Amino acid sequence: GENVEQHPSTLSVQEGDSAVIKCTYSDSASNYFPWYKQELGKRPQLIIDIRSNVGEKKDQRIAVTLNKTAKHFSLHITETQPEDSAVYFCAGTRKAAGNKLTFGGGTRVLVKP
Amino acid sequence: DTEVTQTPKHLVMGMTNKKSLKCEQHMGHRAMYWYKQKAKKPPELMFVYSYEKLSINESVPSRFSPECPNSSLLNLHLHALQPEDSALYLCASSPPTVSGNTIYFGEGSWLTVV
């Protein structure tokens, strides 16, 4: 089955700086990669996703890049703000996996004002 | 609207109790899920229902019993739980797509087993 590894496990950045989280996956057939943000005590919320036919996707200060050859994808947050502080989870899946997402271990991001 | 509604928000139950968690969505999604999340860990898949049929059971103990009465509702029946079952239980749903499924989570039910 799929295995997704996420690094780093914690990330502390100064407000205004950029943050980058990297994930690697094992199943070359995986074709959908969402990113979730989870604030303390709240639900995971989808913030951006990318499918395998696209190399990069951007939404305001958030971007995701996918390298299918190397089997890794990354989340980039620019101009970080205190409200970006949360745990971020990457995930991967493929249709044949029967709607099963495999999550990375999570990255706790702290944006210091 | 990407709303998945879960009740109750908080539940405390004894190890001999029987209780249920409920989930509802009105987005026309045909896949519904139960996840369990422990502190500082990613969500862990328990069950998947696809078109109201159980399609995935991740070897969950029988003290957890899922039920999908119709395409909008999903229940999780709880019986004889252990303290280690205390966690955040997340319901989720997703539309059918050609490749990959965007999963939307509910607010969760915080379960404490005493």
Side-chain angles (χ1 to χ4, degrees):
Chain A
E2 175 70 288
N3 182 48
V4 177
E5 294 191 356
Q6 184 171 347
H7 299 282
S9 57
T10 59
L11 181 59
S12 182
V13 297
Q14 207 66 39
E15 181 178 358
D17 288 350
S18 295
V20 180
I21 305 169
K22 297 182 179 180
C23 291
T24 60
Y25 60 98
S26 60
D27 187 349
S28 57
S30 287
N31 58 6
Y32 175 63
F33 306 93
W35 285 89
Y36 287 86
K37 174 184 179 182
Q38 188 172 27
E39 297 177 46
L40 190 62
K42 298 194 174 181
R43 74 176 109 183
Q45 286 200 294
L46 180 72
I47 55 172
I48 197 167
D49 56 12
I50 192 167
R51 299 184 189 274
S52 58
N53 58 347
V54 175
E56 183 173 359
K57 185 176 178 181
K58 190 173 182 180
D59 183 3
Q60 300 182 350
R61 296 186 296 108
I62 293 173
V64 58
T65 58
L66 172 65
N67 183 327
K68 288 190 293 182
T69 302
K71 290 191 285 187
H72 68 71
F73 56 110
S74 300
L75 178 71
H76 305 254
I77 308 174
T78 58
E79 300 172 20
T80 53
Q81 301 168 4
E83 52 264 37
D84 294 328
S85 295
V87 178
Y88 292 80
F89 293 103
C90 64
T93 189
R94 56 187 174 94
K95 184 172 173 62
N99 302 343
K100 180 178 176 178
L101 273 181
T102 299
F103 284 90
T107 298
R108 183 172 300 277
V109 174
L110 175 63
V111 180
K112 295 181 287 186
Chain B
D1 183 16
T2 54
E3 192 65 32
V4 178
T5 304
Q6 290 186 243
T7 56
K9 295 284 191 290
H10 298 273
L11 177 63
V12 179
M13 59 184 292
M15 289 188 285
T16 58
N17 291 160
K18 285 185 179 181
K19 297 286 184 183
S20 297
L21 304 181
K22 297 184 182 300
C23 176
E24 189 170 4
Q25 59 88 14
H26 295 287
M27 296 177 282
H29 291 176
R30 303 311 300 268
M32 296 187 75
Y33 313 74
W34 281 113
Y35 282 84
K36 172 184 177 180
Q37 188 177 26
K38 302 282 270 186
K40 301 183 180 181
K41 295 290 186 181
E44 179 184 341
L45 183 65
M46 300 175 71
F47 303 103
V48 179
Y49 274 83
S50 181
Y51 291 87
E52 300 158 52
K53 294 191 186 306
L54 183 65
S55 58
I56 294 178
N57 176 343
E58 290 287 280
S59 302
V60 179
S62 59
R63 58 185 184 269
F64 295 92
S65 176
E67 178 195 21
C68 189
N70 60 54
S71 60
S72 299
L73 296 175
L74 186 66
N75 299 322
L76 186 63
H77 303 297
L78 314 171
H79 174 54
L81 295 192
Q82 303 297 310
E84 58 264 29
D85 296 322
S86 299
L88 175 65
Y89 288 84
L90 293 160
C91 175
S93 69
S94 67
T97 56
V98 174
S99 61
N101 299 280
T102 301
I103 293 179
Y104 300 96
F105 287 94
E107 295 281 1
S109 294
W110 292 91
L111 174 66
T112 302
V113 181
V114 297

PDB file of all heavy atoms in Angstrom, chain A residues 81-106:
ATOM      1  N   GLN A  81       1.732  34.404   8.146  1.00  0.00           N
ATOM      2  CA  GLN A  81       1.042  35.219   9.138  1.00  0.00           C
ATOM      3  C   GLN A  81       0.749  34.364  10.360  1.00  0.00           C
ATOM      4  O   GLN A  81       0.714  33.131  10.253  1.00  0.00           O
ATOM      5  CB  GLN A  81      -0.255  35.761   8.531  1.00  0.00           C
ATOM      6  CG  GLN A  81      -0.010  36.609   7.287  1.00  0.00           C
ATOM      7  CD  GLN A  81      -1.276  36.919   6.503  1.00  0.00           C
ATOM      8  OE1 GLN A  81      -2.379  36.575   6.911  1.00  0.00           O
ATOM      9  NE2 GLN A  81      -1.109  37.577   5.370  1.00  0.00           N
ATOM     10  N   PRO A  82       0.545  34.971  11.525  1.00  0.00           N
ATOM     11  CA  PRO A  82       0.280  34.179  12.738  1.00  0.00           C
ATOM     12  C   PRO A  82      -0.873  33.195  12.566  1.00  0.00           C
ATOM     13  O   PRO A  82      -0.826  32.089  13.122  1.00  0.00           O
ATOM     14  CB  PRO A  82      -0.032  35.248  13.793  1.00  0.00           C
ATOM     15  CG  PRO A  82       0.755  36.441  13.351  1.00  0.00           C
ATOM     16  CD  PRO A  82       0.693  36.415  11.839  1.00  0.00           C
ATOM     17  N   GLU A  83      -1.865  33.541  11.762  1.00  0.00           N
ATOM     18  CA  GLU A  83      -3.007  32.641  11.567  1.00  0.00           C
ATOM     19  C   GLU A  83      -2.659  31.413  10.717  1.00  0.00           C
ATOM     20  O   GLU A  83      -3.475  30.497  10.580  1.00  0.00           O
ATOM     21  CB  GLU A  83      -4.206  33.373  10.958  1.00  0.00           C
ATOM     22  CG  GLU A  83      -3.898  34.140   9.707  1.00  0.00           C
ATOM     23  CD  GLU A  83      -3.610  35.610   9.959  1.00  0.00           C
ATOM     24  OE1 GLU A  83      -2.982  35.928  11.000  1.00  0.00           O
ATOM     25  OE2 GLU A  83      -4.008  36.439   9.113  1.00  0.00           O
ATOM     26  N   ASP A  84      -1.437  31.382  10.179  1.00  0.00           N
ATOM     27  CA  ASP A  84      -0.975  30.180   9.472  1.00  0.00           C
ATOM     28  C   ASP A  84      -0.486  29.119  10.445  1.00  0.00           C
ATOM     29  O   ASP A  84      -0.212  27.980  10.045  1.00  0.00           O
ATOM     30  CB  ASP A  84       0.151  30.532   8.492  1.00  0.00           C
ATOM     31  CG  ASP A  84      -0.315  31.428   7.355  1.00  0.00           C
ATOM     32  OD1 ASP A  84      -1.491  31.314   6.948  1.00  0.00           O
ATOM     33  OD2 ASP A  84       0.500  32.254   6.888  1.00  0.00           O
ATOM     34  N   SER A  85      -0.347  29.485  11.718  1.00  0.00           N
ATOM     35  CA  SER A  85       0.093  28.523  12.730  1.00  0.00           C
ATOM     36  C   SER A  85      -0.950  27.417  12.873  1.00  0.00           C
ATOM     37  O   SER A  85      -2.129  27.688  13.139  1.00  0.00           O
ATOM     38  CB  SER A  85       0.299  29.225  14.078  1.00  0.00           C
ATOM     39  OG  SER A  85       1.349  30.162  13.997  1.00  0.00           O
ATOM     40  N   ALA A  86      -0.525  26.173  12.660  1.00  0.00           N
ATOM     41  CA  ALA A  86      -1.438  25.027  12.679  1.00  0.00           C
ATOM     42  C   ALA A  86      -0.611  23.775  12.393  1.00  0.00           C
ATOM     43  O   ALA A  86       0.602  23.846  12.186  1.00  0.00           O
ATOM     44  CB  ALA A  86      -2.525  25.179  11.616  1.00  0.00           C
ATOM     45  N   VAL A  87      -1.298  22.641  12.380  1.00  0.00           N
ATOM     46  CA  VAL A  87      -0.676  21.401  11.911  1.00  0.00           C
ATOM     47  C   VAL A  87      -1.127  21.173  10.474  1.00  0.00           C
ATOM     48  O   VAL A  87      -2.321  21.290  10.160  1.00  0.00           O
ATOM     49  CB  VAL A  87      -1.066  20.196  12.787  1.00  0.00           C
ATOM     50  CG1 VAL A  87      -0.435  18.913  12.244  1.00  0.00           C
ATOM     51  CG2 VAL A  87      -0.627  20.428  14.230  1.00  0.00           C
ATOM     52  N   TYR A  88      -0.193  20.879   9.620  1.00  0.00           N
ATOM     53  CA  TYR A  88      -0.473  20.641   8.205  1.00  0.00           C
ATOM     54  C   TYR A  88      -0.214  19.169   7.887  1.00  0.00           C
ATOM     55  O   TYR A  88       0.819  18.607   8.259  1.00  0.00           O
ATOM     56  CB  TYR A  88       0.404  21.530   7.318  1.00  0.00           C
ATOM     57  CG  TYR A  88       0.057  22.995   7.437  1.00  0.00           C
ATOM     58  CD1 TYR A  88       0.505  23.752   8.506  1.00  0.00           C
ATOM     59  CD2 TYR A  88      -0.748  23.623   6.488  1.00  0.00           C
ATOM     60  CE1 TYR A  88       0.171  25.091   8.633  1.00  0.00           C
ATOM     61  CE2 TYR A  88      -1.082  24.965   6.591  1.00  0.00           C
ATOM     62  CZ  TYR A  88      -0.628  25.683   7.670  1.00  0.00           C
ATOM     63  OH  TYR A  88      -0.969  27.012   7.799  1.00  0.00           O
ATOM     64  N   PHE A  89      -1.172  18.556   7.204  1.00  0.00           N
ATOM     65  CA  PHE A  89      -1.048  17.161   6.784  1.00  0.00           C
ATOM     66  C   PHE A  89      -1.075  17.070   5.267  1.00  0.00           C
ATOM     67  O   PHE A  89      -1.955  17.646   4.619  1.00  0.00           O
ATOM     68  CB  PHE A  89      -2.216  16.319   7.330  1.00  0.00           C
ATOM     69  CG  PHE A  89      -2.231  16.146   8.819  1.00  0.00           C
ATOM     70  CD1 PHE A  89      -3.115  16.882   9.594  1.00  0.00           C
ATOM     71  CD2 PHE A  89      -1.385  15.248   9.438  1.00  0.00           C
ATOM     72  CE1 PHE A  89      -3.158  16.721  10.976  1.00  0.00           C
ATOM     73  CE2 PHE A  89      -1.410  15.075  10.820  1.00  0.00           C
ATOM     74  CZ  PHE A  89      -2.297  15.819  11.581  1.00  0.00           C
ATOM     75  N   CYS A  90      -0.118  16.333   4.711  1.00  0.00           N
ATOM     76  CA  CYS A  90      -0.208  15.986   3.307  1.00  0.00           C
ATOM     77  C   CYS A  90      -0.847  14.604   3.203  1.00  0.00           C
ATOM     78  O   CYS A  90      -0.925  13.870   4.186  1.00  0.00           O
ATOM     79  CB  CYS A  90       1.169  15.986   2.646  1.00  0.00           C
ATOM     80  SG  CYS A  90       2.321  14.735   3.288  1.00  0.00           S
ATOM     81  N   ALA A  91      -1.303  14.259   2.024  1.00  0.00           N
ATOM     82  CA  ALA A  91      -1.915  12.943   1.824  1.00  0.00           C
ATOM     83  C   ALA A  91      -1.814  12.567   0.352  1.00  0.00           C
ATOM     84  O   ALA A  91      -1.603  13.423  -0.516  1.00  0.00           O
ATOM     85  CB  ALA A  91      -3.378  12.944   2.279  1.00  0.00           C
ATOM     86  N   GLY A  92      -1.966  11.290   0.102  1.00  0.00           N
ATOM     87  CA  GLY A  92      -1.942  10.805  -1.272  1.00  0.00           C
ATOM     88  C   GLY A  92      -2.927   9.664  -1.440  1.00  0.00           C
ATOM     89  O   GLY A  92      -3.273   8.977  -0.477  1.00  0.00           O
ATOM     90  N   THR A  93      -3.408   9.505  -2.657  1.00  0.00           N
ATOM     91  CA  THR A  93      -4.322   8.405  -2.938  1.00  0.00           C
ATOM     92  C   THR A  93      -4.393   8.166  -4.435  1.00  0.00           C
ATOM     93  O   THR A  93      -3.939   8.992  -5.227  1.00  0.00           O
ATOM     94  CB  THR A  93      -5.732   8.686  -2.398  1.00  0.00           C
ATOM     95  OG1 THR A  93      -6.527   7.499  -2.501  1.00  0.00           O
ATOM     96  CG2 THR A  93      -6.423   9.777  -3.198  1.00  0.00           C
ATOM     97  N   ARG A  94      -4.968   7.059  -4.810  1.00  0.00           N
ATOM     98  CA  ARG A  94      -5.292   6.776  -6.214  1.00  0.00           C
ATOM     99  C   ARG A  94      -6.677   6.159  -6.246  1.00  0.00           C
ATOM    100  O   ARG A  94      -7.123   5.578  -5.260  1.00  0.00           O
ATOM    101  CB  ARG A  94      -4.272   5.845  -6.853  1.00  0.00           C
ATOM    102  CG  ARG A  94      -4.098   4.524  -6.098  1.00  0.00           C
ATOM    103  CD  ARG A  94      -2.942   3.737  -6.693  1.00  0.00           C
ATOM    104  NE  ARG A  94      -2.662   2.532  -5.915  1.00  0.00           N
ATOM    105  CZ  ARG A  94      -3.163   1.336  -6.192  1.00  0.00           C
ATOM    106  NH1 ARG A  94      -3.972   1.178  -7.220  1.00  0.00           N
ATOM    107  NH2 ARG A  94      -2.843   0.293  -5.451  1.00  0.00           N
ATOM    108  N   LYS A  95      -7.334   6.317  -7.369  1.00  0.00           N
ATOM    109  CA  LYS A  95      -8.738   5.903  -7.446  1.00  0.00           C
ATOM    110  C   LYS A  95      -8.900   4.425  -7.089  1.00  0.00           C
ATOM    111  O   LYS A  95      -9.815   4.020  -6.401  1.00  0.00           O
ATOM    112  CB  LYS A  95      -9.307   6.160  -8.834  1.00  0.00           C
ATOM    113  CG  LYS A  95     -10.803   5.833  -8.923  1.00  0.00           C
ATOM    114  CD  LYS A  95     -11.378   6.283 -10.233  1.00  0.00           C
ATOM    115  CE  LYS A  95     -12.812   5.811 -10.401  1.00  0.00           C
ATOM    116  NZ  LYS A  95     -13.702   6.370  -9.361  1.00  0.00           N
ATOM    117  N   ALA A  96      -7.967   3.615  -7.533  1.00  0.00           N
ATOM    118  CA  ALA A  96      -8.081   2.175  -7.275  1.00  0.00           C
ATOM    119  C   ALA A  96      -7.927   1.832  -5.801  1.00  0.00           C
ATOM    120  O   ALA A  96      -8.164   0.690  -5.411  1.00  0.00           O
ATOM    121  CB  ALA A  96      -7.028   1.425  -8.086  1.00  0.00           C
ATOM    122  N   ALA A  97      -7.527   2.820  -4.989  1.00  0.00           N
ATOM    123  CA  ALA A  97      -7.379   2.568  -3.551  1.00  0.00           C
ATOM    124  C   ALA A  97      -8.727   2.623  -2.843  1.00  0.00           C
ATOM    125  O   ALA A  97      -8.775   2.502  -1.624  1.00  0.00           O
ATOM    126  CB  ALA A  97      -6.420   3.584  -2.933  1.00  0.00           C
ATOM    127  N   GLY A  98      -9.796   2.836  -3.595  1.00  0.00           N
ATOM    128  CA  GLY A  98     -11.118   2.786  -2.987  1.00  0.00           C
ATOM    129  C   GLY A  98     -11.401   3.937  -2.050  1.00  0.00           C
ATOM    130  O   GLY A  98     -11.945   3.743  -0.982  1.00  0.00           O
ATOM    131  N   ASN A  99     -11.071   5.140  -2.453  1.00  0.00           N
ATOM    132  CA  ASN A  99     -11.323   6.342  -1.660  1.00  0.00           C
ATOM    133  C   ASN A  99     -10.516   6.367  -0.369  1.00  0.00           C
ATOM    134  O   ASN A  99     -10.942   6.966   0.607  1.00  0.00           O
ATOM    135  CB  ASN A  99     -12.812   6.477  -1.310  1.00  0.00           C
ATOM    136  CG  ASN A  99     -13.692   6.531  -2.529  1.00  0.00           C
ATOM    137  OD1 ASN A  99     -13.223   6.780  -3.628  1.00  0.00           O
ATOM    138  ND2 ASN A  99     -14.963   6.300  -2.338  1.00  0.00           N
ATOM    139  N   LYS A 100      -9.377   5.736  -0.324  1.00  0.00           N
ATOM    140  CA  LYS A 100      -8.563   5.709   0.879  1.00  0.00           C
ATOM    141  C   LYS A 100      -7.398   6.684   0.766  1.00  0.00           C
ATOM    142  O   LYS A 100      -6.512   6.521  -0.071  1.00  0.00           O
ATOM    143  CB  LYS A 100      -8.023   4.306   1.122  1.00  0.00           C
ATOM    144  CG  LYS A 100      -7.156   4.198   2.360  1.00  0.00           C
ATOM    145  CD  LYS A 100      -6.699   2.780   2.579  1.00  0.00           C
ATOM    146  CE  LYS A 100      -5.740   2.702   3.765  1.00  0.00           C
ATOM    147  NZ  LYS A 100      -5.314   1.321   4.033  1.00  0.00           N
ATOM    148  N   LEU A 101      -7.410   7.705   1.621  1.00  0.00           N
ATOM    149  CA  LEU A 101      -6.302   8.651   1.703  1.00  0.00           C
ATOM    150  C   LEU A 101      -5.241   8.113   2.658  1.00  0.00           C
ATOM    151  O   LEU A 101      -5.575   7.624   3.733  1.00  0.00           O
ATOM    152  CB  LEU A 101      -6.778   9.999   2.247  1.00  0.00           C
ATOM    153  CG  LEU A 101      -7.325  11.056   1.307  1.00  0.00           C
ATOM    154  CD1 LEU A 101      -7.700  12.291   2.109  1.00  0.00           C
ATOM    155  CD2 LEU A 101      -6.343  11.398   0.215  1.00  0.00           C
ATOM    156  N   THR A 102      -3.986   8.242   2.281  1.00  0.00           N
ATOM    157  CA  THR A 102      -2.889   7.940   3.198  1.00  0.00           C
ATOM    158  C   THR A 102      -2.264   9.264   3.604  1.00  0.00           C
ATOM    159  O   THR A 102      -1.796  10.019   2.750  1.00  0.00           O
ATOM    160  CB  THR A 102      -1.845   7.041   2.539  1.00  0.00           C
ATOM    161  OG1 THR A 102      -2.454   5.808   2.158  1.00  0.00           O
ATOM    162  CG2 THR A 102      -0.710   6.753   3.513  1.00  0.00           C
ATOM    163  N   PHE A 103      -2.253   9.532   4.898  1.00  0.00           N
ATOM    164  CA  PHE A 103      -1.743  10.802   5.416  1.00  0.00           C
ATOM    165  C   PHE A 103      -0.275  10.713   5.798  1.00  0.00           C
ATOM    166  O   PHE A 103       0.212   9.656   6.233  1.00  0.00           O
ATOM    167  CB  PHE A 103      -2.533  11.211   6.669  1.00  0.00           C
ATOM    168  CG  PHE A 103      -3.903  11.773   6.380  1.00  0.00           C
ATOM    169  CD1 PHE A 103      -5.005  10.938   6.312  1.00  0.00           C
ATOM    170  CD2 PHE A 103      -4.088  13.129   6.169  1.00  0.00           C
ATOM    171  CE1 PHE A 103      -6.272  11.431   6.047  1.00  0.00           C
ATOM    172  CE2 PHE A 103      -5.349  13.634   5.908  1.00  0.00           C
ATOM    173  CZ  PHE A 103      -6.439  12.786   5.837  1.00  0.00           C
ATOM    174  N   GLY A 104       0.417  11.838   5.651  1.00  0.00           N
ATOM    175  CA  GLY A 104       1.719  11.988   6.253  1.00  0.00           C
ATOM    176  C   GLY A 104       1.553  12.229   7.752  1.00  0.00           C
ATOM    177  O   GLY A 104       0.437  12.398   8.249  1.00  0.00           O
ATOM    178  N   GLY A 105       2.682  12.250   8.461  1.00  0.00           N
ATOM    179  CA  GLY A 105       2.635  12.354   9.915  1.00  0.00           C
ATOM    180  C   GLY A 105       2.296  13.738  10.455  1.00  0.00           C
ATOM    181  O   GLY A 105       2.048  13.882  11.649  1.00  0.00           O
ATOM    182  N   GLY A 106       2.305  14.740   9.591  1.00  0.00           N
ATOM    183  CA  GLY A 106       1.948  16.088  10.019  1.00  0.00           C
ATOM    184  C   GLY A 106       3.154  16.971  10.300  1.00  0.00           C
ATOM    185  O   GLY A 106       4.220  16.489  10.691  1.00  0.00           O
TER     186      GLY A 106
END
